[in-house]
Amino acid sequence: MISLAHYLTVAAILFTIGVLGIFLNRRNVILMLMAIELILLAVNINLVAFSAYLGDLTGQVFAMFVLTVAAAEAAIGLAILVIFFRRRGSIAVDDVNRMHG
Amino acid sequence: MIATIAFYLFATLTIAPAIAVIFARNPVHSVLWLIVAFFNAAGLMLLVGAEFIAMLLVIVYVGAVAVLFLFVVMMLDIDFATLRTGFTRNLPFGIIIALVLLFEIVIAVGAWEAGPAISGRHVAEGAQPNIVALGQLLYSRYLFPFEIAGLILLVAMVGAIVLTHRQRRDRRPQRASKQIRRRPQDAVKLTQPGVGEGVKL
């Protein structure tokens, strides 16, 4: 019998994989963005699981908004990456400081 | 019974490609593994009856966001070999941090579950389909956040276009305001050149 705890475990493992991905790929912005998408997917699974097991549809509404914001953030992040790459010729971001000042 | 098998199948096929996303050498492979993870997460959501969110995940996340990632990965000529330096050096420490985080999350869920009973109660199928109920909620109680979400998407679209738009310098477009502003006295000049002389422009 699949309980809420199963879904929460899956979401927790996905979350930690996403965090691990950000930690390991600090030089590669595309992989960092993909790891952020994994984190957001884990949060969505959490929201939907809670919504189903508590019988409240608010969780799914919020999951939809999380999806919207994640898509917008991915678009802007990739746009910034593209123009960064145009200027620099590489996407090594360990010492990115060109946007401040 | 089949629901249990389906859950474990979807769960395994979500977590394993997620690990593959991070550890793949080729970034195109990473994006493809991410797509597999999204599909199976949509399957997980289907199992609890959230079919609208599941289809939204497939259409928006896979169809738009992952394809966008694929475009960018294939468009930029990136030297990924130099970007992987430090990967294996950080790996043990990274795995320790990830395990600690996972342990903390499990502890938090365990402490929370000791409270009022939530586990095991699976809500029955409602009288309405999922999407009808969501629509009713979204357009009545959550109308304002819904409109704000639309605005966020608009801002993101405008922002992405503004950031990446390039002007071509070798192009001479029409400039309608300049054409309209032209006056007859500037456009035509009457001269009386002598015989044999030319006209100076």
Side-chain angles (χ1 to χ4, degrees):
Chain A
M1 189 57 209
I2 301 296
S3 72
L4 181 60
H6 291 79
Y7 278 92
L8 296 186
T9 314
V10 170
I13 294 176
L14 269 179
F15 190 88
T16 51
I17 291 173
V19 169
L20 181 67
I22 292 182
F23 187 81
L24 290 177
N25 292 302
R26 300 257 291 287
R27 305 197 70 191
N28 189 348
V29 176
I30 290 185
L31 275 180
M32 275 173 63
L33 285 172
M34 284 197 263
I36 291 176
E37 295 299 325
L38 278 177
I39 289 176
L40 288 166
L41 180 68
V43 168
N44 273 335
I45 291 177
N46 248 342
L47 280 168
V48 169
F50 271 113
S51 155
Y53 281 89
L54 293 177
D56 189 1
L57 222 47
T58 309
Q60 293 183 33
V61 171
F62 199 68
M64 212 180 80
F65 292 138
V66 169
L67 212 68
T68 305
V69 174
E73 164 245 332
I76 296 282
L78 287 170
I80 293 177
L81 175 68
V82 162
I83 56 174
F84 183 80
F85 180 75
R86 275 188 205 158
R87 281 286 195 148
R88 293 289 208 92
S90 90
I91 57 171
V93 292
D94 0 13
D95 42 15
V96 157
N97 53 6
R98 295 296 293 266
M99 278 202 287
H100 76 60
Chain B
M1 161 67 183
I2 187 116
T4 314
I5 296 176
F7 172 79
Y8 281 112
L9 177 72
F10 284 140
T12 321
L13 285 178
T14 305
I15 293 176
I19 299 177
V21 166
I22 298 168
F23 287 96
R25 289 200 175 276
N26 188 341
V28 179
H29 292 178
S30 289
V31 178
L32 295 177
W33 284 122
L34 192 67
I35 291 177
V36 175
F38 282 148
F39 266 114
N40 289 286
L44 274 178
M45 295 183 188
L46 273 176
L47 284 177
V48 282
E51 61 256 19
F52 181 65
I53 302 294
M55 289 306 113
L56 215 58
L57 214 62
V58 170
I59 293 173
V60 170
Y61 254 147
V62 174
V65 174
V67 170
L68 187 62
F69 271 111
L70 210 52
F71 280 155
V72 172
V73 161
M74 292 196 287
M75 182 174 81
L76 304 180
D77 181 25
I78 301 169
D79 179 16
F80 281 97
T82 56
L83 288 175
R84 281 180 75 91
T85 60
F87 184 90
T88 38
R89 207 168 14 105
N90 288 330
L91 186 58
F93 190 49
I95 289 186
I96 291 174
I97 289 188
L99 286 174
V100 165
L101 182 61
L102 184 61
F103 182 65
E104 283 178 355
I105 295 177
V106 165
I107 293 282
V109 170
W112 165 79
E113 271 201 342
I118 303 288
S119 67
R121 190 180 70 172
H122 192 345
V123 70
E125 293 296 315
Q128 289 170 327
N130 174 250
I131 184 168
V132 170
L134 259 180
Q136 284 179 345
L137 203 55
L138 204 55
Y139 280 94
S140 59
R141 206 174 140 204
Y142 294 102
L143 183 62
F144 185 62
F146 186 63
E147 299 291 334
I148 299 293
L151 266 181
I152 289 176
L153 285 173
L154 177 68
V155 167
M157 182 175 82
V158 169
I161 291 174
V162 162
L163 279 173
T164 52
H165 183 51
R166 279 195 279 203
Q167 303 270 2
R168 287 193 56 154
R169 267 165 291 235
D170 58 344
R171 190 178 281 195
R172 303 196 61 185
Q174 274 185 323
R175 273 174 291 175
S177 58
K178 192 171 171 198
Q179 289 169 332
I180 292 169
R181 263 185 281 129
R182 201 172 81 142
R183 298 179 304 168
Q185 55 264 43
D186 300 327
V188 178
K189 194 171 77 166
L190 289 176
T191 60
Q192 296 264 2
V195 173
E197 293 173 14
V199 182
K200 285 206 179 34
L201 288 171

